[in-house]
Tab-separated table of all heavy atoms in Angstrom:
chain	number	residue	atom	x	y	z
G	444	ILE	N	5.365	14.016	-24.991
G	444	ILE	CA	6.329	15.097	-25.216
G	444	ILE	C	5.549	16.408	-25.275
G	444	ILE	O	4.609	16.542	-26.039
G	444	ILE	CB	7.114	14.910	-26.542
G	444	ILE	CG1	7.972	13.630	-26.489
G	444	ILE	CG2	8.032	16.128	-26.827
G	444	ILE	CD1	8.792	13.362	-27.713
G	445	ALA	N	5.933	17.323	-24.429
G	445	ALA	CA	5.267	18.638	-24.330
G	445	ALA	C	3.782	18.435	-24.086
G	445	ALA	O	2.961	19.113	-24.690
G	445	ALA	CB	5.528	19.517	-25.555
G	446	GLN	N	3.442	17.480	-23.217
G	446	GLN	CA	2.106	17.196	-22.819
G	446	GLN	C	1.185	16.695	-23.923
G	446	GLN	O	-0.040	16.824	-23.892
G	446	GLN	CB	1.450	18.440	-22.156
G	446	GLN	CG	2.142	18.823	-20.859
G	446	GLN	CD	1.417	19.938	-20.130
G	446	GLN	OE1	1.505	21.081	-20.515
G	446	GLN	NE2	0.652	19.562	-19.104
G	447	GLU	N	1.801	16.057	-24.957
G	447	GLU	CA	1.034	15.439	-26.024
G	447	GLU	C	1.494	13.969	-26.120
G	447	GLU	O	2.683	13.673	-26.133
G	447	GLU	CB	1.213	16.123	-27.365
G	447	GLU	CG	0.541	17.519	-27.365
G	447	GLU	CD	0.274	18.025	-28.779
G	447	GLU	OE1	0.338	17.195	-29.715
G	447	GLU	OE2	0.019	19.203	-28.917
G	448	VAL	N	0.515	13.051	-26.140
G	448	VAL	CA	0.806	11.605	-26.170
G	448	VAL	C	1.526	11.254	-27.462
G	448	VAL	O	1.193	11.752	-28.557
G	448	VAL	CB	-0.510	10.796	-26.044
G	448	VAL	CG1	-0.225	9.314	-26.194
G	448	VAL	CG2	-1.168	11.076	-24.687
G	449	VAL	N	2.520	10.383	-27.351
G	449	VAL	CA	3.234	9.840	-28.541
G	449	VAL	C	3.145	8.322	-28.484
G	449	VAL	O	3.287	7.705	-27.456
G	449	VAL	CB	4.705	10.293	-28.571
G	449	VAL	CG1	4.805	11.775	-28.886
G	449	VAL	CG2	5.415	9.997	-27.250
G	450	ASN	N	2.853	7.716	-29.677
G	450	ASN	CA	2.762	6.256	-29.782
G	450	ASN	C	3.709	5.658	-30.775
G	450	ASN	O	3.851	4.399	-30.825
G	450	ASN	CB	1.298	5.889	-30.163
G	450	ASN	CG	0.322	6.246	-29.074
G	450	ASN	OD1	0.417	5.730	-27.955
G	450	ASN	ND2	-0.650	7.108	-29.388
G	451	THR	N	4.360	6.460	-31.581
G	451	THR	CA	5.316	5.947	-32.581
G	451	THR	C	6.592	6.814	-32.563
G	451	THR	O	6.537	7.988	-32.157
G	451	THR	CB	4.745	5.999	-34.013
G	451	THR	OG1	4.577	7.370	-34.416
G	451	THR	CG2	3.401	5.303	-34.089
G	452	PRO	N	7.695	6.234	-33.015
G	452	PRO	CA	8.933	7.023	-33.091
G	452	PRO	C	8.824	8.253	-33.945
G	452	PRO	O	9.411	9.299	-33.672
G	452	PRO	CB	9.956	6.023	-33.676
G	452	PRO	CG	9.415	4.691	-33.306
G	452	PRO	CD	7.934	4.833	-33.340
G	453	GLU	N	8.024	8.134	-35.028
G	453	GLU	CA	7.843	9.286	-35.934
G	453	GLU	C	7.151	10.451	-35.191
G	453	GLU	O	7.479	11.610	-35.408
G	453	GLU	CB	7.026	8.858	-37.172
G	453	GLU	CG	7.033	9.873	-38.293
G	453	GLU	CD	8.408	10.136	-38.816
G	453	GLU	OE1	9.251	9.233	-38.857
G	453	GLU	OE2	8.671	11.312	-39.202
G	454	GLU	N	6.198	10.140	-34.363
G	454	GLU	CA	5.502	11.165	-33.589
G	454	GLU	C	6.479	11.861	-32.629
G	454	GLU	O	6.404	13.067	-32.429
G	454	GLU	CB	4.346	10.541	-32.824
G	454	GLU	CG	3.181	10.138	-33.709
G	454	GLU	CD	2.017	9.533	-32.884
G	454	GLU	OE1	2.225	9.261	-31.663
G	454	GLU	OE2	0.954	9.291	-33.456
G	455	VAL	N	7.417	11.050	-32.066
G	455	VAL	CA	8.393	11.665	-31.191
G	455	VAL	C	9.264	12.666	-31.970
G	455	VAL	O	9.505	13.788	-31.532
G	455	VAL	CB	9.295	10.575	-30.587
G	455	VAL	CG1	10.464	11.187	-29.803
G	455	VAL	CG2	8.502	9.677	-29.655
G	456	LYS	N	9.748	12.268	-33.131
G	456	LYS	CA	10.594	13.155	-33.945
G	456	LYS	C	9.838	14.401	-34.380
G	456	LYS	O	10.382	15.531	-34.348
G	456	LYS	CB	11.104	12.376	-35.169
G	456	LYS	CG	12.032	11.240	-34.857
G	456	LYS	CD	12.411	10.436	-36.090
G	456	LYS	CE	13.274	11.227	-37.026
G	456	LYS	NZ	13.759	10.457	-38.169
G	457	GLU	N	8.572	14.261	-34.721
G	457	GLU	CA	7.779	15.420	-35.119
G	457	GLU	C	7.570	16.376	-33.989
G	457	GLU	O	7.662	17.596	-34.197
G	457	GLU	CB	6.413	14.936	-35.682
G	457	GLU	CG	6.484	14.230	-37.045
G	457	GLU	CD	5.149	13.679	-37.475
G	457	GLU	OE1	4.144	13.882	-36.696
G	457	GLU	OE2	5.055	13.074	-38.559
G	458	ARG	N	7.326	15.852	-32.816
G	458	ARG	CA	7.101	16.741	-31.671
G	458	ARG	C	8.373	17.502	-31.281
G	458	ARG	O	8.345	18.707	-31.018
G	458	ARG	CB	6.649	15.937	-30.452
G	458	ARG	CG	5.265	15.365	-30.549
G	458	ARG	CD	4.211	16.462	-30.677
G	458	ARG	NE	4.284	17.398	-29.551
G	458	ARG	CZ	3.932	18.673	-29.591
G	458	ARG	NH1	3.471	19.188	-30.723
G	458	ARG	NH2	4.029	19.441	-28.558
G	459	VAL	N	9.520	16.820	-31.361
G	459	VAL	CA	10.789	17.484	-31.049
G	459	VAL	C	11.105	18.560	-32.083
G	459	VAL	O	11.557	19.653	-31.751
G	459	VAL	CB	11.935	16.438	-30.944
G	459	VAL	CG1	13.282	17.135	-30.857
G	459	VAL	CG2	11.726	15.531	-29.749
G	460	LYS	N	10.886	18.222	-33.361
G	460	LYS	CA	11.143	19.192	-34.403
G	460	LYS	C	10.282	20.446	-34.227
G	460	LYS	O	10.750	21.599	-34.391
G	460	LYS	CB	10.899	18.579	-35.789
G	460	LYS	CG	11.130	19.518	-36.979
G	460	LYS	CD	10.888	18.807	-38.282
G	460	LYS	CE	11.234	19.733	-39.480
G	460	LYS	NZ	10.498	21.010	-39.473
G	461	LYS	N	9.008	20.250	-33.904
G	461	LYS	CA	8.129	21.395	-33.715
G	461	LYS	C	8.592	22.267	-32.545
G	461	LYS	O	8.543	23.511	-32.622
G	461	LYS	CB	6.676	20.933	-33.463
G	461	LYS	CG	5.652	22.068	-33.392
G	461	LYS	CD	4.239	21.535	-33.236
G	461	LYS	CE	3.244	22.660	-33.342
G	461	LYS	NZ	3.500	23.772	-32.387
Side-chain angles (χ1 to χ4, degrees):
I444 297 181
Q446 296 188 281
E447 292 200 14
V448 174
V449 288
N450 294 300
T451 67
E453 193 61 34
E454 289 179 352
V455 172
K456 294 175 68 174
E457 289 175 359
R458 290 298 304 152
V459 171
K460 181 179 184 302
K461 185 177 187 306

